[in-house]
Amino acid sequence: MKLPGVGEFSWRDVGTEARLLLIGIPVFLWTMIPIYHMFLFAISPKEDAFSGKLWPDHPTLHNFEIVFKQQHYFLRDFYAQFWNSTLIAVSVGVLTLCIATAAAFAISRLKVPGGRAVLNLALFTYFIPAAFLAVPMYRTMGNYGLLNNHWSLILAMVTIASPYAIWVLKQASDKLPVELDEAAVMDGATTLQIFRLVYLPLMMPSLVAIGTYAVLLAWNEYLYAFLLLSNDREITLPVALGNFLAADDSPWELLMTTGFIYALPPAAVYYAFRRYMVGGLTAGAVKS
C-alpha cells in the first residue's frame, strides 16, 4: 500500500512500532518513577516528605543546602566520603583497564601459551556469587593489613571486574585483522609499538566501555565497602547513606537528597559514553 507523498507504507512496520512502544513505555515508567520519587523527597520539607502527593505544596532546595553545607550529623564528612568514592572508582577503572588490556593483548594477539586456560579460569570465578566472597576477601585483606585502607576496596573491585573485562576485550581483539600486526612487524615495529600504535587506537571503543563499566561497578559498591572500610572519613558515600537508617527518626528527605546527588555523576558518565558503551560491549559480545 502506498500513500501519496508518504512513500511505502507497511502495516507490519506499524505493528512493530506499536509493540516497541508497548514495551518501551512501561519500562521507561518503571525506571523513572523511583527516580521521580527520590527527587520529590529531595525538594520536599520534612513534614511533607510522606504526603503522597505528586508534587509538594511548598517545594524547596533547603535539603540540598543542608547537604552541601554539611549541616547534619550524618553529613559532617560528606565531601570526604564523596572524594573517597570518586578516588576508588577512578582507581578501579584505571587498574582494570591496565590489567584487562594487557591480558587481552597477550592472549589474543601474542598467543601466549596457556592464555585461554587462564581466561577460562578467570571466568570460572563468576560461578561463585561475589557476595559469598566478601568474608574471605575480608580475611585476606586483614592478613595483609589492608583493612580500613582504600587499597583493600580497590583491589577487591579490580578482582571482581577484571575477568569480565578481559573476556570482553579479548573477544573484541579477536575481531581485529591480524594483517595489521603483520604489516607493523614488516615495518620494523616492536611488540610495544604494535600495542601502543596499532592495538590501543583500534580498541578504543571497547576500552572506554570497559573503563566505564569498572568505574560504575566500584561507584555503586556497598557490601565490600561496608566490610573493608570502617572509619567515617575513609568510607564511601553509599556506606554513609546506610548510616542514615540507623537513627530512630531517619531524615529521609536528606537521605534521598544525598542519594540523588550521588546518582548524578554515574548518569553523566553513562550518557557521555553511551555510544561507546553499546558499541564497545557489543563488539566483545559476539565473535565473528
Side-chain angles (χ1 to χ4, degrees):
M1 179 178 179
K2 181 181 291 187
L3 296 178
V6 176
E8 294 294 335
F9 178 82
S10 171
W11 287 108
R12 178 178 297 179
D13 295 338
V14 174
T16 301
E17 293 292 335
R19 285 193 294 270
L20 289 175
L21 287 175
L22 288 176
I23 296 173
I25 292 176
V27 170
F28 176 78
L29 293 176
W30 180 266
T31 304
M32 294 305 298
I33 286 177
I35 299 175
Y36 178 69
H37 279 288
M38 180 185 295
F39 178 69
L40 281 185
F41 269 94
I43 62 172
S44 298
K46 184 173 183 177
E47 60 274 11
D48 295 338
F50 291 96
S51 65
K53 298 179 180 179
L54 292 178
W55 189 257
D57 293 331
H58 306 287
T60 177
L61 296 178
H62 182 61
N63 295 327
F64 289 91
E65 180 182 358
I66 294 176
V67 173
F68 288 129
K69 292 185 177 182
Q70 304 179 107
Q71 294 176 344
H72 192 275
Y73 173 76
F74 289 128
L75 295 167
R76 67 188 186 279
D77 296 314
F78 170 76
Y79 289 108
Q81 294 158 355
F82 193 94
W83 168 249
N84 294 337
S85 296
T86 303
L87 177 63
I88 291 171
V90 172
S91 300
V92 170
V94 171
L95 285 177
T96 301
L97 272 180
C98 292
I99 294 171
T101 306
F105 180 75
I107 296 171
S108 176
R109 315 305 287 186
L110 301 183
K111 308 293 183 184
V112 295
R116 292 183 181 274
V118 171
L119 175 62
N120 292 332
L121 287 174
L123 289 176
F124 181 75
T125 60
Y126 285 131
F127 282 92
I128 305 174
F132 290 177
L133 299 175
V135 174
M137 190 72 73
Y138 175 85
R139 294 200 57 178
T140 301
M141 296 302 174
N143 291 337
Y144 286 100
L146 291 176
L147 289 180
N148 203 31
N149 187 302
H150 289 164
W151 277 108
S152 62
L153 184 56
I154 292 172
L155 294 176
M157 288 294 96
V158 170
T159 302
I160 294 173
S162 291
Y164 174 72
I166 294 172
W167 179 78
V168 170
L169 294 182
K170 190 267 179 187
Q171 299 295 351
S173 178
D174 286 345
K175 299 175 69 174
L176 299 179
V178 69
E179 290 80 10
L180 296 174
D181 295 358
E182 295 173 351
V185 171
M186 292 295 293
D187 290 337
T190 64
T191 300
L192 185 59
Q193 288 174 326
I194 294 174
F195 177 78
R196 183 169 57 88
L197 301 177
V198 178
Y199 183 76
L200 290 182
L202 293 175
M203 290 286 291
M204 192 55 64
S206 294
L207 295 178
V208 173
I210 287 301
T212 305
Y213 155 77
V215 167
L216 296 183
L217 179 69
W219 183 266
N220 294 319
E221 177 57 33
Y222 175 81
L223 176 60
Y224 282 80
F226 176 77
L227 288 176
L228 300 176
L229 304 175
S230 57
N231 188 289
D232 284 344
R233 293 194 62 83
E234 300 296 332
I235 62 176
T236 58
L237 200 53
V239 178
L241 290 176
N243 294 336
F244 278 80
L245 303 178
D248 294 332
D249 185 19
S250 299
W252 287 94
E253 72 285 356
L254 299 181
L255 171 63
M256 294 300 173
T257 303
T258 310
F260 184 79
I261 295 171
Y262 191 69
L264 294 179
V269 169
Y270 174 78
Y271 280 105
F273 298 111
R274 65 186 184 280
R275 178 165 57 93
Y276 294 100
M277 288 288 290
V278 175
L281 294 177
T282 303
V286 181
K287 183 177 178 181
S288 58

